[in-house]
């Protein structure tokens, strides 16, 4: 039986998907929909208790689903390293990687690795995780990478001098810049990984989740924007439909380096998206990763 617009057939070999931030909001809805479509799911979560609760919820409606939690906080590079090593040890392939986990921080906070938190969680860690898992995505034969960017990428500012730190802190600009970086990274990745793996970015819409509703501690302008947008917000389940399309549909087979929203491929517009900037961002991020590796603890 052909399932709704995915082209997945019941009885076809089990597909494996890794989702970051699957303990809440859009990531949780993506995990549920992929479970409904027969995927085996690795939940990369910072909160083991929440991960177990999501697993119990999915298993209640889909008893056959295979789900495994791996605990990792993306604001810690040693934990990202442990996550990638666990996945590389336990799995021989990965069909879908969804970089969904994200934060918007009311104030500038520096992680134990020395980076601004939004930058590390939303961009640096997905960059490292994705590059580390490329061998498994290659082994799938048709690995798909999906990065949860946001339409606010258009407010992001690329400044090579500030790649690691957004300078004078503004919650909106910093968040937007990480989403711009994720978009530029997606395009760079698509240019580098060859035809067998695809990488695409998506904007899920304005979605009713903790992130959009919990504005405690944020500046007034942030609260006003959120309050104005929320009446038009969609459910996480609706937002997960674009992720399902990118993860599973035959209609996007071979499409890479693109940006999707509301189930459709749409052009992106930012003066910062130039081949030179994409290369520079890639090189600076690789350099940051290499430098951080030299100070990582051995285990
Ligand atoms: N909501 C929107 O309107 C909207 C719009 C555009 C783009 N997006 C993007 O969509 C993605 C999902 O957002 P959402 O609205 O679903 O947010 P959410 O409800 O706040 O969920 C965020 C998820 O990320 C996880 N997470 C946060 N920090 C983490 C860390 N340091 N390490 C590991 N996991 C971490 C959270 O874990 P816990 O469960 O432990 O908190 C949670 O599972 C984000 O990338 C966001 O930027 C959202």
């Amino acid at each position: 039986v052909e399932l709704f617009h995915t082209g997945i057939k019941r009885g076809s070999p089990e597909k494996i998907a890794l989702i970051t931030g699957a303990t809440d909001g859009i990531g949780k809805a993506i995990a549920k929909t992929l479970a409904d479509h027969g995927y085996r799911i690795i939940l990369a979560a910072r909160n083991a208790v929440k991960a177990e609760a999501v697993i119990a919820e999915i298993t209640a409606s889909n008893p056959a689903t295979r789900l495994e939690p791996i605990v990792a906080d993306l604001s810690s590079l040693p934990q990202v390293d442990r996550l990638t090593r666990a996945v590389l040890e336990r799995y021989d392939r990965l069909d879908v990687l969804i970089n969904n986990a994200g934060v918007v921080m009311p104030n500038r906070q520096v992680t134990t690795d020395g980076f601004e938190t939004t930058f590390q969680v939303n961009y640096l860690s997905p960059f490292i995780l994705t590059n580390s898992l490329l061998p498994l995505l290659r082994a799938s034969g048709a690995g798909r990478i999906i990065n949860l960017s946001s339409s606010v990428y258009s407010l992001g500012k690329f400044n090579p001098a500030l790649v690691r730190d957004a300078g004078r802190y503004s919650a909106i600009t910093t968040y937007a810049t990480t989403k711009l970086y994720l978009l530029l990274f997606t395009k760079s990745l698509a240019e580098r990984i060859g035809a067998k793996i695809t990488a695409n970015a998506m904007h899920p819409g304005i979605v009713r989740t903790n992130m959009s509703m919990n504005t405690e501690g944020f500046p007034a302008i942030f609260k006003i924007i959120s309050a104005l947008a929320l009446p038009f917000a969609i459910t996480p389940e609706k937002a997960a439909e674009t992720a399902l399309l990118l993860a599973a549909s035959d209609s996007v087979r071979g499409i890479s380096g693109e940006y999707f929203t509301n189930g459709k491929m749409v052009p992106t517009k930012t003066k910062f998206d130039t081949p030179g900037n994409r290369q520079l961002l890639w090189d600076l991020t690789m350099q940051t990763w290499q430098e951080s590796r030299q100070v990582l603890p051995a285990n």
Side-chain angles (χ1 to χ4, degrees):
V1 182
E2 188 99 355
L3 295 175
F4 169 66
H5 81 35
T6 64
I8 303 171
K9 296 185 179 61
R10 286 257 181 250
S12 48
E14 182 183 56
K15 299 255 187 194
I16 307 171
L18 187 154
I19 309 169
T20 66
T23 45
D24 222 317
I26 302 163
K28 181 175 163 184
I30 296 173
K32 281 183 180 168
T33 190
L34 288 184
D36 286 343
H37 288 82
Y39 279 73
R40 176 176 178 182
I41 298 164
I42 309 164
L43 294 97
R46 65 174 165 180
N47 182 328
V49 176
K50 278 180 87 171
E52 288 301 341
V54 171
I55 288 176
E57 203 179 315
I58 293 177
T59 313
S61 48
N62 281 295
T65 307
R66 294 214 274 169
L67 297 129
E68 186 193 3
I70 302 182
V71 175
D73 191 322
L74 301 185
S75 66
S76 157
L77 293 186
Q79 291 195 36
V80 171
D81 190 50
R82 271 215 310 274
L83 166 66
T84 57
R85 280 193 284 137
V87 178
L88 289 167
E89 274 163 24
R90 293 175 208 174
Y91 295 85
D92 60 3
R93 66 173 203 287
L94 188 61
D95 299 290
V96 177
L97 168 63
I98 305 185
N99 287 307
N100 163 78
V103 281
V104 52
M105 303 294 288
N107 304 303
R108 183 177 183 278
Q109 281 181 36
V110 176
T111 68
T112 47
D113 301 306
F115 301 106
E116 190 283 318
T117 302
T118 328
F119 167 77
Q120 185 165 338
V121 173
N122 295 8
Y123 171 66
L124 181 60
S125 290
F127 180 98
I128 294 174
L129 183 65
T130 305
N131 275 295
S132 305
L133 296 180
L134 285 178
L136 290 190
L137 288 152
R138 233 170 240 124
S140 134
R144 296 185 180 194
I145 299 159
I146 301 158
N147 291 329
L148 272 279
S149 181
S150 165
S151 60
V152 299
Y153 77 80
S154 58
L155 303 176
K157 293 183 169 48
F158 177 58
N159 176 352
L162 298 175
V163 158
R164 295 144 185 248
D165 196 326
R168 201 170 67 85
Y169 192 81
S170 142
I172 295 175
T173 308
T174 304
Y175 175 74
T177 298
T178 65
K179 296 299 172 182
L180 170 68
Y181 289 174
L182 205 54
L183 179 66
L184 300 185
F185 167 53
T186 308
K187 294 186 177 205
S188 290
L189 199 55
E191 288 162 3
R192 287 158 201 265
I193 51 184
K196 280 194 175 165
I197 311 177
T198 60
N200 290 294
M202 62 171 273
H203 168 58
I206 306 290
V207 192
R208 213 166 261 278
T209 63
N210 279 344
M211 179 180 281
S212 54
M213 293 193 296
N214 183 2
T215 55
E216 213 180 295
F218 283 92
I221 178 74
F222 194 95
K223 291 184 177 167
I224 292 166
I225 294 171
S226 281
L228 289 175
L230 268 180
F232 306 98
I234 59 172
T235 62
E237 288 69 30
K238 179 78 190 152
E241 286 177 9
T242 300
L244 174 66
L245 173 92
L246 290 174
S249 177
D250 278 345
S251 66
V252 294
R253 188 186 297 273
I255 294 178
S256 196
E258 300 292 344
Y259 174 79
F260 287 75
T261 187
N262 206 11
K264 292 192 181 65
M265 194 165 96
V266 288
T268 51
K269 201 164 175 264
T270 156
K271 66 174 181 182
F272 297 109
D273 183 13
T274 63
N277 279 350
R278 291 203 296 269
Q279 179 74 46
L280 188 55
L281 182 64
W282 182 277
D283 290 345
L284 288 169
T285 316
M286 273 292 174
Q287 190 190 331
T288 303
W289 181 18
Q290 299 310 335
E291 284 167 9
S292 74
R293 272 179 149 171
Q294 288 156 17
V295 294
L296 271 184
N299 58 357

